[in-house]
Amino acid sequence: MASLSGVLRLGASSAGRPAGGSPLLAWDEGSAPFQAEGEAQAVVLGPARQPRGDLARALAAWPGGAETILRPFLQAGMGFAFAVWEGGRLTLGADPWGLQTLYYREAGGQLGFSDRLADLTRPGEEKLHLASCEHFLRYLSIPPGRTLLGGVRRLPPGEQLVISSDGVASQPFIPLGGEPAGGRGEARRQLRQTAGEAAAAAADLPPGEPIGLLLSGGMDSTALLALLREARQGPIVAIHAGAGDSPDRGFARAMAERHGAEFLDLTLTAEDARESLGWIVSSMEAPGGNASAVANCRAFALARERGLRRVVSGLGADEVFGGHRKHLLAPWWPWLGRLPLFIRQALARRASHPSLREALAAQGGPLEMHRAMYALMGEEEAARLRGGLARFAQVVRPEDGRGNPSRYPLALLQVDLDQWLRAALGPMAGTLAAADGLELALPLASAPMLRLSASMPLSWKVAGSTGKRLLREALRDLLPREILDRSRKGFTVPVAEWLRGELAGTARELLAPGKVERWCLLEREGPLRLLGEHVSGRADWGLALWGWMTFSAWYDRFFPAEGGM
């Protein structure tokens, strides 16, 4: 049962908008709003979708104080969602990482909202949102503010939705920007201090209670392990998940021993992917286009079995501080963007990677070139795969109706957040952790860290072949040389290898032409053609195939065969 849901009756005009009169709010049975001495009511969901009556009571007493009241979550990088009803106005808000979901549907003079997508669906009446499906085809993610269902929207992470008799308006809950950072040395000092404070906030548990950490053996998770040890003397449980031949396992084990943490090791197999797929889709209520969901799913299950309540992750640091390889090209896009399009198209034809080809041929300036680097399937390949209604779809741009900041480094950060952290990683990790009853904290992407990143010039994040430049310098004292010099890590899942072996049969079942035909999106034989190319080694379609396998499972859940579209 949903913990934050209700229906706001607006009174409809011919356009479906309010036409005078006071809106009326009816909370659903599963919600338990707190009311202050006045008329204001509030509901707050904290991490793991747990109702927080103490914070709801404070928010009802001070309806405009959400940022202050929810500061502990913002400081630690933990998910939340809230609703405030005051003076005929409903305000919905959610965390800036996409960890906590909140959906809404406006129709027939009323607006329904819930933290669970299934509560707002209308069996037998739903249609796919084609632009979001096109986005999934190209990026294997769903743009913030959308779902794959045409009638249901998701509250964009980090924003507030205000609904009243005047209509529906969106505004930033955690605006990025402000004054640029001062000197580089001062910014480095602030970054080290803020990272420590964020880790301490995430580690704020009773002294004897253990805290979990997803430890990949890379820079971010190792720095967090050291920061957690600085903040507390209590037990730390480090969890590593990887394939049997993972070179990261030894580094992770050594770092756990170095900081006196208990080490739990998970060896992932194709069977883990097969067994996890349904759980991932049902927990996320969306396709799990990122294959790292398998590792997170198993790691969170192990954390639950170990009796942990809270788990810390280095997720988000790459998007916030420029740690992906694609960020190394970001300083070049303004210059390359000034070249005539025919020259860039000629360069694109020589590029070997689909995302680089897309970026060089992109129209719309340097931001669109950077956004195109997130594409996992180029336009040429996508055109071969499209079928049915997808031929008429346009990609949703997260900035539509909102605009990007004018300063290039800040605008890049907005693209990174909207295109990947808020669209894919945050929703995946947050919902999977909550499904196992776990609180998830992302200290390196906390609100104070976000604001610091937003104030930095691009040259402090990326230079030459080095990403996360200033973050590396700020955390250098916490990291041994062998970790500091390693390339970017994470919970990697060899789904491409598995799809050439044990997982191929599952792929054939989920991507069978009869199933694909029902979607009205792809050529009925298209996914199996990709699988054939992949198994033969002619191409690597591992991520795309996994994404569409999860889409197939999701579609069967929301569009059962007897109902269809």
Side-chain angles (χ1 to χ4, degrees):
M1 182 177 291
S3 300
L4 197 168
S5 59
V7 176
L8 182 65
R9 292 174 175 83
L10 299 163
S13 69
S14 60
R17 292 295 185 184
S22 299
L24 298 175
L25 175 64
W27 298 97
D28 287 344
E29 183 181 350
S31 299
F34 283 82
Q35 185 165 346
E37 294 181 1
E39 64 173 8
Q41 299 175 344
V43 175
V44 175
L45 292 187
R49 280 183 168 147
Q50 292 300 310
R52 290 294 303 266
D54 55 335
L55 299 180
R57 189 178 295 109
L59 194 55
W62 183 17
E67 184 173 354
T68 300
I69 293 167
L70 299 171
R71 185 170 293 161
F73 298 151
L74 293 167
Q75 178 80 21
M78 300 172 73
F80 60 83
F82 65 89
V84 182
W85 172 245
E86 181 200 22
R89 183 175 68 175
L90 175 67
T91 301
L92 305 174
D95 67 78
W97 311 282
L99 298 174
Q100 175 63 63
T101 54
L102 194 55
Y103 303 99
Y104 65 97
R105 181 174 207 142
E106 186 182 6
Q110 62 183 29
L111 184 141
F113 59 93
S114 176
D115 61 312
R116 299 185 188 278
L117 178 63
D119 292 334
L120 299 178
T121 58
R122 299 174 177 176
E125 299 180 17
E126 294 297 345
K127 304 293 183 184
L128 290 174
H129 187 257
L130 294 181
S132 295
C133 291
E134 173 67 12
H135 192 283
F136 186 81
L137 171 64
R138 301 290 298 280
Y139 299 100
L140 293 184
S141 65
I142 303 170
R146 300 293 334 188
T147 71
L148 291 180
L149 301 179
V152 185
R153 301 200 64 154
R154 182 183 173 199
L155 184 67
E159 294 199 7
Q160 293 184 118
L161 196 72
V162 181
I163 309 103
S164 69
S165 58
D166 296 325
V168 180
S170 179
Q171 60 190 44
F173 173 55
I174 305 294
L176 299 179
E179 294 298 318
R184 183 187 177 92
E186 173 60 18
R188 183 167 53 243
R189 185 197 67 77
Q190 288 184 26
L191 198 53
R192 175 63 171 86
Q193 177 181 333
T194 304
E197 292 170 349
D204 186 17
L205 293 173
E209 181 175 350
I211 188 169
L213 170 71
L214 302 185
L215 183 62
S216 68
M219 167 187 150
D220 300 327
S221 59
T222 301
L224 279 174
L225 177 57
L227 289 169
L228 290 174
R229 183 52 76 203
E230 280 186 357
R232 71 191 320 255
Q233 295 304 310
I236 300 174
V237 180
I239 302 174
H240 177 82
D245 58 352
S246 169
D248 305 327
R249 181 169 281 109
F251 288 94
R253 187 187 302 276
M255 292 302 102
E257 293 175 356
R258 178 186 181 119
H259 292 284
E262 178 184 349
F263 186 68
L264 301 182
D265 188 12
L266 276 166
T267 299
L268 300 175
T269 67
E271 187 61 26
D272 289 304
R274 185 181 298 109
E275 292 180 353
S276 299
L277 193 148
W279 176 260
I280 291 168
V281 170
S282 63
S283 300
M284 293 179 59
E285 296 188 293
N290 190 333
S292 67
V294 175
N296 281 269
C297 181
R298 286 304 193 224
F300 291 143
L302 184 59
R304 182 199 65 222
E305 293 169 7
R306 175 62 177 76
L308 301 178
R309 171 160 60 109
R310 184 174 300 172
V311 174
V312 176
S313 170
L315 201 74
D318 288 314
E319 290 74 31
V320 175
F321 291 100
H324 292 290
R325 289 183 62 84
K326 61 177 64 70
H327 287 112
L328 302 180
L329 291 170
W332 293 92
W333 296 135
W335 178 81
L336 287 168
R338 289 194 290 268
L339 294 176
L341 181 60
F342 75 90
I343 294 180
R344 287 195 282 115
Q345 289 173 335
L347 293 173
R349 287 191 288 271
R350 294 175 172 269
S352 58
H353 198 278
S355 62
L356 183 56
R357 289 198 299 270
E358 292 298 299
L360 287 169
Q363 301 184 47
L367 292 183
E368 285 305 312
M369 297 172 79
H370 182 62
R371 188 191 311 281
M373 288 296 293
Y374 280 97
L376 294 174
M377 180 173 287
E379 172 54 33
E380 183 178 338
E381 294 86 353
R384 290 195 301 140
L385 193 58
R386 285 190 196 96
L389 298 175
R391 295 190 180 98
F392 308 102
Q394 297 290 324
V395 175
V396 171
R397 294 306 186 204
E399 75 274 17
D400 283 351
R402 187 167 76 220
N404 269 319
S406 57
R407 195 162 60 86
Y408 181 56
L410 180 55
L412 279 177
L413 174 61
Q414 192 74 57
V415 170
D416 290 323
L417 294 177
D418 285 345
Q419 199 68 29
W420 197 237
L421 181 59
R422 293 169 171 170
L425 296 183
M428 176 271 292
T431 53
L432 290 180
D436 276 307
L438 298 173
E439 302 174 353
L440 179 65
L442 312 180
L444 296 183
S446 67
M449 296 288 275
L450 272 174
R451 289 191 172 109
L452 273 177
S453 173
S455 70
M456 294 178 184
L458 185 59
S459 60
W460 291 5
K461 301 178 185 180
V462 177
S465 60
T466 302
K468 289 190 293 194
R469 187 180 180 192
L470 197 63
L471 186 66
R472 289 176 184 274
E473 295 176 8
L475 303 180
R476 186 179 297 275
D477 64 307
L478 302 172
L479 299 167
R481 173 62 63 181
E482 62 269 25
I483 297 295
L484 193 63
D485 291 342
R486 294 192 80 206
S487 59
R488 175 183 169 273
K489 297 298 167 187
F491 279 175
T492 55
V493 177
V495 68
E497 176 185 335
W498 294 341
L499 282 166
R500 292 189 174 107
E502 299 173 63
L503 204 56
T506 304
R508 291 188 181 94
E509 292 174 11
L510 289 169
L511 303 177
K515 284 182 173 289
V516 174
E517 189 172 33
R518 284 209 313 125
W519 308 345
C520 297
L521 292 174
L522 307 181
E523 293 288 348
R524 68 188 310 271
E525 302 283 350
L528 286 187
R529 175 176 50 77
L530 294 188
L531 180 62
E533 294 175 2
H534 181 80
V535 171
S536 69
R538 297 197 304 275
D540 183 356
W541 294 117
L543 294 178
L545 288 166
W546 172 259
W548 287 105
M549 288 165 66
T550 63
F551 181 93
S552 179
W554 173 86
Y555 190 91
D556 285 346
R557 180 182 180 191
F558 282 90
F559 296 86
E562 60 271 18
M565 283 184 57

